[in-house]
Amino acid sequence: GFLNQLHSKLGRVLVETHRMPRVKVLETECEDYGQVATYKGTIPGHAHSYMLDDHHVFETGRPMLVCGNSAAMVGDSWL
């Protein structure tokens, strides 16, 4: 049928859903003002750690220094 024809033309299709934090204001540069974030391990499927982006991997229960933008993302959002 139609879906088989579509699949044969497209091959494997990857569908991803991204949850993006709602941050009111971001700094233009990553500045260190001594902010610390500690991941509690509460996101389903990420009990031991959570990768926020390519240079922030939060280990459960371990405080981590973050810049103002990262502090805003984890403090002013659903994270």
Side-chain angles (χ1 to χ4, degrees):
F2 173 75
L3 291 178
N4 288 336
Q5 290 175 357
L6 183 63
H7 185 268
S8 67
K9 290 181 181 180
L10 295 178
R12 196 166 132 189
V13 177
L14 175 64
V15 176
E16 294 183 7
T17 301
H18 296 273
R19 296 179 70 184
M20 303 302 291
R22 294 180 185 168
V23 179
K24 296 174 187 170
V25 178
L26 290 178
E27 300 169 353
T28 56
E29 295 182 23
C30 190
E31 302 264 349
D32 180 4
Y33 294 111
Q35 295 99 328
V36 176
T38 304
Y39 176 57
K40 296 179 182 179
T42 57
I43 298 175
H46 301 277
H48 303 290
S49 65
Y50 179 74
M51 180 181 278
L52 179 66
D53 56 28
D54 64 346
H55 57 280
H56 290 95
V57 177
F58 295 96
E59 295 179 34
T60 301
R62 178 176 287 187
M64 181 175 161
L65 290 173
V66 294
C67 69
N69 289 337
S70 297
M73 282 190 264
V74 299
D76 297 342
S77 71
W78 49 266
L79 290 173

